[in-house]
Amino acid sequence: MRKLTLVALPTALTLAAFNPALAQDDGSTDTDAGTDTAEPTGAVVTREALTEEREVVDDEGNPVLDADGNPTFETVETGWVQTVETPSGNTHTITKVEGERAVVTHEKAERVARAERPAKADRPDKPERPEKPEKPEKPERPDRPGRGG
C-alpha cells in the first residue's frame, strides 16, 4: 500500500497540472460546418452532394400521383464532388457517383514567371601556377647483407 501511495500521488499531481493545459483553447477556428473566420493557410476543401430528381413509384412500379394527378418526384443523393484547392493554386476534384469508381482530376495552376536572376559576375582568371621543378631521382639502395634480396 505504501508503494502504491508513493506512485499514485505524483501521478495524480502530474495529471492535475497538465489536464487544464490540454483543455485550453488552442486558437484554431476549424469547425465542422467548414466556416473559417481566420485567413486560411492550408488547402480549402469543399464538398457538394450530387442529387437527382426521381419519380416516386409504388411497390408494383406504378408512379405515385399527387392530388392533382401529377406524378410526384423526390430528390435522391447519387454521389458527391469534393474539391481541394491548395495554397499553390492547384485544384484537385474527386467525383464519386453511386455504383461507379471515383474520378479524380488535377488542374495545375499556371506558374508565375520568376524574375530572372542577375547574371553572375565574371570571375577574374586565376594566375597560372609556376611549373614545379622536377624531383631528383632517388639513389638506389645498396644491397644489405643478410637480407634475401
Side-chain angles (χ1 to χ4, degrees):
M1 182 69 175
R2 185 178 228 173
K3 291 181 183 177
L4 180 62
T5 305
L6 291 174
V7 172
L9 186 59
T11 305
L13 290 174
T14 304
L15 288 175
F18 286 112
N19 208 10
L22 295 175
Q24 288 180 356
D25 186 16
D26 61 355
S28 66
T29 57
D30 294 336
T31 61
D32 291 339
T35 56
D36 194 358
T37 57
E39 187 173 323
T41 57
V44 177
V45 179
T46 56
R47 189 173 185 142
E48 300 173 10
L50 294 176
T51 58
E52 182 178 282
E53 290 286 323
R54 291 187 183 166
E55 190 173 1
V56 179
V57 293
D58 60 9
D59 294 337
E60 298 172 5
N62 297 325
V64 176
L65 304 176
D66 62 3
D68 297 331
N70 297 325
T72 57
F73 291 91
E74 67 180 346
T75 303
V76 179
E77 187 173 324
T78 58
W80 47 266
V81 176
Q82 179 172 320
T83 306
V84 180
E85 295 178 32
T86 62
S88 62
N90 296 335
T91 303
H92 310 283
T93 305
I94 304 167
T95 305
K96 175 66 174 138
V97 178
E98 186 178 313
E100 297 179 13
R101 288 183 160 195
V103 178
V104 180
T105 58
H106 304 282
E107 297 175 20
K108 289 188 175 184
E110 292 185 26
R111 290 189 171 201
V112 177
R114 293 183 182 177
E116 290 186 23
R117 292 184 179 178
K120 290 185 178 180
D122 292 334
R123 292 184 178 176
D125 293 335
K126 292 183 179 179
E128 291 185 21
R129 293 184 177 178
E131 290 185 21
K132 293 184 179 179
E134 290 185 23
K135 292 184 180 179
E137 290 183 23
K138 291 185 180 179
E140 289 185 25
R141 292 182 153 185
D143 290 333
R144 293 187 183 175
R147 301 236 180 201

